[in-house]
Amino acid sequence: MDVASQLTPLVAYKLVTYTFGSLLHLFLMVLILGQRRLGRLEWLLFWLMAGLFMWNSGNLLALNVGLFYGVGPAILEAVARLIPLLGLVLVAPLTVAVHTEYARQFRPPALFYRLVTALFCLPVTAVPWAIGNVLGHLGWDAVRALYPLARPLVVWLVAALGIGAAFNLSFRRSSDEPHRAKFHARLAGLQISLGLGLVVAYLARPLPASGLGGYFPTTLALLGAIPSTLLAHAVLRYNLLDLRLQRNVTYSVVAIFAVLLYVNVIRRVSGLLELHNILPSAATEAVMIFILVVFLEPVKKVIDRVLYASFISEVQPVQRLVAEIQERAKQTGDVKALKRFVEGRAPSELRLGRVTLRLVGGWPDGLAASGRAEQSTVEKLTSTSSFDSWTSSSSTFSPSIQNPKSEIQNVPARTFPVRRGDEVLGYLDVVPLPQGFSGDQQGSLQLLADQLAAALELCQLIADKVMLERALAAKERMAFLGEMAARIAHNVKNPLSSMKTVVQLLEEDSTLPPRAREDCRMVTCEIDRLNRNISQMLRYAKPARDTDRSVDLAAVVVRTLALSRAEAERRLVTFEFHGSGPCPVAGGEEAVSDILSNLVVNALEASPPRTTVSVRLARAECSLGQVALSVENQGPGIPPELSDKIFQPFFTTRPGGTGLGLAIVSRRAEEIGSLVECLSPIGPKGGTRFVVRFHAAA
């Protein structure tokens, strides 16, 4: 409700002040409305900015009406008075409401906050009377028309500033982040300064006869825009209130406002120079436009630097995250651990609600040991909410939300494919915070999805390399074991043969008593057992020969069953063989014979008396290039907890066993490229079936 009849330095100062205030608060209104989802706090802040915009723009309109018309039309005078009055009325209660709502981020809502907000809303009931009094006396000065309520209005505003300062001092003590604490401290200092300035300007002195006063009240109006300036800086720099800003939109709005402001300056300066007969307005406008063209290149360079800095600030978090992902992939080679790391780290770095990495197809588990080593670290990231980890890991002003999961569930997710060329390796499912996605975030997530493909490939390469190293190490160990077994066979079997010969000669000596001859037979049996164990170890250690040749599997089965028939009769076990005719398979006779003989021996040892051991050849799979051989017994079966250990060397549950029978089966099958499966139990009474899938010979 400021007025002016001629352009003086004071009026120019007022024009600059109200123009700056109008553009600043309009800019903040645009930023807030640019969000996809606005909460209660954001709406209250928007209306507070709208009230301050109305106050500044209304006074700017009143000044321009006075400068242009002197005494303007009644409708224009009414609008110029009504807009700042409504804005000023909104400022006091909304200032308190914004602070009480913001306080809920630090402590649970209290009844005291609601009472304070309601108390500051009570004076709004006098607004209709104030509007009627101001609009009913358009010939009077605005302050004079509002005189009965002018001082109470200032007291109301000073009290709101005092409440806001008290809240900000409390926020400063409650904040753990230095940036946020500094922000609240500065805001409290400005509110206290504004309150004291209003007391000095309008309560300790008589009210001005016209307008809002001289330089000191105008300086207070300019000072009133500084809190909003701090708010804009915190929103742009530290993402205050978790507002999702798109930098390109922000800079576009700033550029538009700057152009409008410069056009207004051109008009003002040209009018002032023409009024004093210095230069015509057309010449002044041409000169100022030429000045703009001259400074276009420096301004462009400044804009380029700003945009580059903005780009770096947006890309830097995703670059840091990608570097951590690549380092984690190098250290572990574990896809599962990498998946947990991405899902735990990405929300905190990129300010998201939830991230899920879905992999397509089969991926190796990588290094299980490394995955377990990293699991504790990753669980620390995933056990806390992404909001808490964001607040603790980054220097932001965003307050922690009390129940983020309930808000995140209502936000739609977006999917970013993880591609390797034309192949899709997986999908990155991203749920944003309640405010939604920004354009910068979408670009960062697309870059992250592109880099994840390289990290996944790195994990696969490391896992393949480790598997190859383990296979080579296992082959080296087996070669060493074979060499050691050969030495044992040479150093032990020959003495055992000599001992057996001597004991057999003693056994045939008729002069020995029967007890001694019985002991000789027992020693002979033990020597034979030692020979078998040594031979079995040697067979396991040495690779099979002639594995590139084909062999008739049916003939090997018949020969093996014939050799084992005596042992089967001793155990009261019968054989059944289903399959006849030649059945050539790849792998060589030695390997196939070792597989079949060990499976048959294992089945005999597991079979109770008067049961059957069945051997079957499945020729139906010959069309697929495979022949399935199954050896089935009716024993008690294998416990589930032991099913993963039966093929390990030296693992046995039978007293006196070496634990090498099934290990030889697994080793020979691996050498010739066959597969071995164990099914147990196969019926309600137990039973075990071993199935070996051989490659059919051409």
Side-chain angles (χ1 to χ4, degrees):
M1 295 177 290
D2 219 337
V3 293
S5 58
Q6 59 181 349
L7 187 60
T8 62
L10 176 60
V11 174
Y13 183 32
K14 291 183 177 183
L15 287 173
V16 172
T17 299
Y18 293 132
T19 300
F20 173 71
S22 299
L23 293 177
L24 174 64
H25 295 101
L26 180 61
F27 171 70
L28 288 173
M29 290 169 60
V30 172
L31 289 187
I32 296 173
L33 280 183
Q35 309 308 306
R36 296 188 178 183
R37 295 173 181 268
L38 296 180
R40 177 182 173 84
L41 177 60
E42 287 78 12
W43 277 116
L44 289 173
L45 186 62
F46 168 79
W47 286 112
L48 176 60
M49 295 298 107
L52 292 170
F53 170 74
M54 293 169 65
W55 164 255
N56 286 277
S57 61
N59 282 296
L60 184 62
L61 177 62
L63 287 173
N64 282 280
V65 169
L67 291 174
F68 190 82
Y69 291 104
V71 178
I75 183 65
L76 199 55
E77 289 282 349
V79 172
R81 293 188 176 194
L82 183 61
I83 291 177
L85 177 61
L86 292 178
L88 189 63
V89 168
L90 287 175
V91 167
L94 284 174
T95 298
V96 176
V98 166
H99 284 82
T100 55
E101 183 66 23
Y102 185 77
R104 297 178 61 183
Q105 313 296 339
F106 292 89
R107 57 185 65 90
L111 180 62
F112 172 73
Y113 297 162
R114 299 176 183 175
L115 292 177
V116 170
T117 305
L119 180 64
F120 273 84
C121 290
L122 286 178
V124 180
T125 57
V127 171
W129 181 87
I131 292 175
N133 205 31
V134 170
L135 298 182
H137 302 86
L138 293 179
W140 296 2
D141 186 82
V143 176
R144 180 185 172 191
L146 196 62
Y147 187 81
L149 289 180
R151 291 184 183 276
L153 186 61
V154 174
V155 173
W156 187 29
L157 189 57
V158 170
L161 290 172
I163 293 293
F167 270 111
N168 278 292
L169 291 176
S170 175
F171 299 154
R172 177 181 176 274
R173 290 190 298 269
S174 302
S175 177
D176 296 331
E177 301 175 10
H179 293 292
R180 185 187 294 183
K182 188 181 297 184
F183 169 76
H184 290 301
R186 291 174 177 175
L187 202 57
L190 287 171
Q191 289 172 333
I192 293 174
S193 301
L194 277 173
L196 294 176
L198 290 174
V199 170
V200 172
Y202 298 107
L203 297 181
R205 301 177 182 178
L207 292 175
S210 63
L212 296 177
Y215 284 98
F216 181 67
T218 306
T219 303
L220 288 179
L222 182 61
L223 186 64
I226 296 182
S228 300
T229 306
L230 291 178
L231 176 65
H233 177 264
V235 168
L236 292 172
R237 179 72 181 276
Y238 303 110
N239 203 30
L240 178 66
L241 303 179
D242 200 24
L243 294 176
R244 289 286 173 266
L245 299 180
Q246 299 189 37
R247 297 297 179 95
N248 52 352
V249 176
T250 302
Y251 294 141
S252 300
V253 173
V254 172
I256 292 172
F257 284 172
V259 171
L260 292 176
L261 184 61
Y262 189 73
V263 170
N264 187 52
V265 170
I266 291 176
R267 188 176 65 83
R268 293 289 183 185
V269 173
S270 62
L272 180 63
L273 295 180
E274 188 175 26
L275 180 64
H276 290 81
N277 296 320
I278 299 176
L279 278 177
S281 60
T284 305
E285 292 173 359
V287 170
M288 297 192 70
I289 292 175
F290 178 74
I291 293 174
L292 179 63
V293 173
V294 170
F295 285 98
L296 184 61
E297 184 63 25
V299 171
K300 176 180 178 297
K301 292 181 179 179
V302 173
I303 294 175
D304 289 341
R305 287 197 298 268
V306 172
L307 292 177
Y308 178 75
S310 173
F311 173 76
I312 293 299
S313 66
E314 290 298 329
V315 174
Q316 193 171 16
V318 71
Q319 286 181 333
R320 183 170 56 249
L321 178 60
V322 167
E324 292 179 2
I325 291 173
Q326 294 287 348
E327 186 64 26
R328 188 57 58 96
K330 292 178 183 177
Q331 292 177 356
T332 65
D334 189 348
V335 174
K336 291 184 178 179
L338 182 67
K339 179 177 180 294
R340 291 193 298 268
F341 178 78
V342 172
E343 293 175 351
R345 195 82 175 97
S348 61
E349 282 292 333
L350 303 181
R351 303 189 298 276
L352 301 168
R354 185 173 62 250
V355 174
T356 304
L357 177 59
R358 292 186 291 115
L359 299 178
V360 177
W363 282 88
D365 292 340
L367 304 179
S370 299
R372 287 193 296 270
E374 299 295 332
Q375 185 174 3
S376 59
T377 304
V378 177
E379 286 178 352
K380 291 180 181 179
L381 293 173
T382 56
S383 59
T384 57
S385 68
S386 58
F387 293 83
D388 294 337
S389 60
W390 174 26
T391 306
S392 62
S393 63
S394 59
S395 297
T396 62
F397 285 132
S398 177
S400 58
I401 298 175
Q402 296 178 2
N403 189 10
K405 292 183 179 180
S406 61
E407 298 192 27
I408 290 176
Q409 291 175 355
N410 299 324
V411 182
R414 284 201 58 182
T415 299
F416 297 86
V418 180
R419 298 180 182 275
R420 178 178 56 191
D422 296 334
E423 181 185 2
V424 177
L425 305 181
Y427 298 95
L428 203 63
D429 298 330
V430 182
V431 177
L433 293 177
Q435 288 75 16
F437 282 110
S438 68
D440 299 327
Q441 281 183 314
Q442 296 180 25
S444 299
L445 287 169
Q446 189 60 57
L447 177 60
L448 176 62
D450 294 339
Q451 296 298 321
L452 273 177
L456 291 172
E457 285 185 312
L458 181 59
C459 279
Q460 186 175 13
L461 290 175
I462 292 176
D464 293 342
K465 177 184 176 183
V466 171
M467 292 177 63
L468 180 60
E469 290 176 349
R470 288 178 175 174
L472 292 175
K475 290 183 180 297
E476 290 178 358
R477 288 195 300 270
M478 296 311 302
F480 174 75
L481 182 59
E483 183 180 355
M484 184 177 63
R487 292 179 181 179
I488 292 175
H490 180 269
N491 296 328
V492 177
K493 290 188 70 173
N494 290 338
L496 286 178
S497 299
S498 301
M499 293 167 58
K500 181 179 179 181
T501 302
V502 173
V503 173
Q504 286 178 339
L505 291 174
L506 289 175
E507 183 184 353
E508 295 175 358
D509 189 355
S510 59
T511 61
L512 289 177
R515 177 64 183 271
R517 297 172 67 183
E518 183 67 27
D519 291 341
C520 289
R521 281 193 295 271
M522 183 179 64
V523 172
T524 302
C525 293
E526 290 300 312
I527 291 174
D528 291 338
R529 187 177 66 82
L530 287 175
N531 270 318
R532 286 195 301 270
N533 291 343
I534 293 173
S535 299
Q536 195 173 31
M537 182 181 295
L538 184 61
R539 188 179 299 114
Y540 175 74
K542 287 187 175 181
R545 296 171 298 179
D546 300 330
T547 55
D548 55 342
R549 296 184 179 182
S550 61
V551 62
D552 186 359
L553 182 57
V556 175
V557 172
V558 172
R559 184 172 64 253
T560 302
L561 295 182
L563 293 175
S564 303
R565 195 169 303 280
E567 180 66 18
E569 292 176 354
R570 187 181 67 83
R571 294 177 178 269
L572 302 180
V573 176
T574 58
F575 286 131
E576 287 185 358
F577 175 46
H578 303 276
S580 60
C583 186
V585 296
E589 183 175 355
E590 183 177 354
V592 174
S593 179
D594 283 348
I595 292 173
L596 187 58
S597 61
N598 280 282
L599 287 178
V600 170
V601 170
N602 186 75
L604 286 175
E605 292 176 349
S607 298
R610 297 179 180 83
T611 56
T612 301
V613 172
S614 300
V615 181
R616 290 182 173 84
L617 287 178
R619 301 175 181 273
E621 298 190 14
C622 288
S623 59
L624 301 177
Q626 290 183 343
V627 176
L629 169 71
S630 66
V631 179
E632 180 180 324
N633 66 73
Q634 300 175 4
I638 300 173
E641 63 272 12
L642 301 180
S643 58
D644 295 334
K645 301 179 181 180
I646 58 175
F647 292 107
Q648 296 179 3
F650 309 109
F651 175 80
T652 181
T653 58
R654 183 173 58 85
T658 61
L660 289 174
L662 293 179
I664 292 174
V665 172
S666 177
R667 178 168 170 77
R668 293 291 182 264
E670 181 182 357
E671 289 174 352
I672 65 176
S674 300
L675 297 177
V676 183
E677 297 176 295
C678 176
L679 305 176
S680 182
I682 57 176
K685 295 183 180 181
T688 303
R689 180 186 300 126
F690 286 91
V691 180
V692 185
R693 302 185 184 277
F694 295 95
H695 292 287

